């Protein structure tokens, strides 16, 4: 007898969303976006520069409101909920995040428990401090606990910031170009860390903004291609990251292949 699986919970739901630039009210950043992310799904968000990827991620992270349409994050609709409280339930990792470079990796992770830049020492009990150590070990950074964040490599910093985002035990983790400026070994360390994270946390949903399919871990389940603010294709990853879709998305012939669960792309010219 076939076991019937329960439908996964909806984590993010955008319905007919549009975003216009505020200064003019005319320039369209996003238009007609309908998108659903469910628990346990791992999405890749790709598109050329200016396609609207960062704006879409800001909507999913409850950082901004749409010009039109509805956005629901973790069951709450933007405009009907305290955005600060909602953001506290979403994990966000971005190279642009401001954290004290002279603080240790363990301290940086601790600040994720309070959602602050500087540590609030009185807020961190023994269990919270131990949780920070556990997360560093989970992401392969145990030996970095006492190292200054500023002395860590780009790949190490990315993994430490993921630990920080996980301190609040979010159901949704948003990764805004986490591979930016990483060398090859650092990129592979981060790919491995994200793959393990997906395996260890069955209910966690992730959305990763990237320019390169080579940066996607094998655990990627879905992909969303944006072109000039509109959806070009979205859904299960194998049906989206095709040669035809990527060629249209980036405006030049692109060959896509997959080996050992990883994707590779190169221009056909």
């Amino acid at each position: 007898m076939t076991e019937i699986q329960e439908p996964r919970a909806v984590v993010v739901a955008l319905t007919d969303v549009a975003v216009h630039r505020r200064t003019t009210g005319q320039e369209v950043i996003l238009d007609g976006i309908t998108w659903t992310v469910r628990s346990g799904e791992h999405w890749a968000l790709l598109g050329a520069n200016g396609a609207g990827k960062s704006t879409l991620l800001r909507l999913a992270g409850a950082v901004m409101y749409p010009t039109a349409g509805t956005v629901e994050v973790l069951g709450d609709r933007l405009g009907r909920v305290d955005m600060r409280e909602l953001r506290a339930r979403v994990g966000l990792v971005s190279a642009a995040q401001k954290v004290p470079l002279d603080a240790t990796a363990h301290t940086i992770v601790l600040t994720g428990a309070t959602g602050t830049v500087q540590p609030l020492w009185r807020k961190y009990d023994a269990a919270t401090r131990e949780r920070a150590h556990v997360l560093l070990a989970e992401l392969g950074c145990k030996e970095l606990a006492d190292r200054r964040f500023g002395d860590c490599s780009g790949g190490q910093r990315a993994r430490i910031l993921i630990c920080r985002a996980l301190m609040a035990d979010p159901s949704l983790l948003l990764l805004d170009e986490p591979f930016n400026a990483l060398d090859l070994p650092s990129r592979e360390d981060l790919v491995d860390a994200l793959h393990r994270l997906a395996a260890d946390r069955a209910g966690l949903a992730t959305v990763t903004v990237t320019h390169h399919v080579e940066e996607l871990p094998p655990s990627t389940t879905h992909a969303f291609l944006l072109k000039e603010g509109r959806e070009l294709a979205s859904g299960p990853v194998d049906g989206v990251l095709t040669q035809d879709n990527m060629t249209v998305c980036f405006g030049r012939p692109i060959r896509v292949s997959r080996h050992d669960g990883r994707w590779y792309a190169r221009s056909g010219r």
Side-chain angles (χ1 to χ4, degrees):
M1 185 175 180
T2 303
E3 182 179 352
I4 299 176
Q5 294 185 345
E6 292 292 328
R8 293 180 178 269
V10 173
V11 177
V12 177
L14 280 67
T15 304
D16 201 21
V17 162
V19 174
H20 299 166
R21 192 177 298 278
R22 290 184 177 181
T23 53
T24 64
Q26 300 297 321
E27 184 178 353
V28 176
I29 309 302
L30 293 174
D31 189 35
I33 301 294
T34 295
W35 179 39
T36 301
V37 177
R38 298 181 182 275
S39 64
E41 294 180 347
H42 302 285
W43 284 78
L45 183 54
L46 298 103
N49 289 336
K53 300 185 299 297
S54 293
T55 300
L56 186 54
L57 203 69
R58 286 166 63 83
L59 290 170
V63 176
M64 63 180 293
Y65 295 100
T67 305
T70 62
V71 177
E72 294 186 1
V73 179
L74 302 178
D76 290 316
R77 180 173 297 187
L78 302 194
R80 299 181 181 179
V81 65
D82 186 320
M83 295 276 273
R84 292 171 298 178
E85 292 183 0
L86 182 54
R87 283 196 294 271
R89 296 157 52 201
V90 177
L92 173 64
V93 176
S94 170
Q97 284 176 290
K98 302 297 182 183
V99 295
L101 297 178
D102 58 346
T104 66
H106 184 257
T107 298
I108 295 297
V109 177
L110 277 177
T111 63
T114 47
T116 56
V117 175
Q118 298 294 337
L120 301 180
W121 294 111
R122 294 183 180 180
K123 300 285 187 179
Y124 311 137
D125 58 16
T128 302
R129 294 168 187 255
E130 178 59 24
R131 175 169 170 75
H133 281 298
V134 170
L135 286 171
L136 284 168
E138 183 179 353
L139 270 293
C141 303
K142 181 178 180 180
E143 74 284 358
L144 303 176
D146 296 323
R147 185 178 301 181
R148 291 176 66 255
F149 186 75
D151 294 335
C152 295
S153 69
Q156 291 168 341
R157 291 186 188 188
R159 284 181 284 155
I160 292 166
L161 290 176
I162 291 174
C163 293
R164 179 181 184 273
L166 292 174
M167 277 297 287
D169 198 21
S171 300
L172 174 64
L173 180 63
L174 305 176
L175 301 141
D176 191 4
E177 298 191 39
F179 298 91
N180 188 33
L182 298 188
D183 60 19
L184 181 59
S186 295
R187 183 192 76 180
E188 293 304 298
D189 285 344
L190 184 53
V191 167
D192 290 343
L194 291 176
H195 187 57
R196 291 196 305 271
L197 189 66
D200 294 341
R201 296 171 180 259
L204 179 67
T206 67
V207 180
T208 301
V209 172
T210 181
H211 288 284
H212 307 289
V213 297
E214 292 80 5
E215 296 172 347
L216 299 177
S219 51
T220 304
T221 60
H222 293 72
F224 192 117
L225 295 183
L226 271 172
K227 183 175 176 62
E228 297 176 353
R230 290 180 172 272
E231 175 191 327
L232 175 63
S234 70
V237 64
D238 287 330
V240 174
L241 296 186
T242 66
Q243 178 172 312
D244 289 345
N245 285 341
M246 294 288 283
T247 294
V248 173
C249 186
F250 291 97
R252 63 186 300 163
I254 294 179
R255 297 178 181 176
V256 180
S257 59
R258 191 175 186 186
H259 303 286
D260 297 326
R262 298 283 298 278
W263 289 265
Y264 302 90
R266 64 185 180 90
S267 174
R269 292 178 181 174

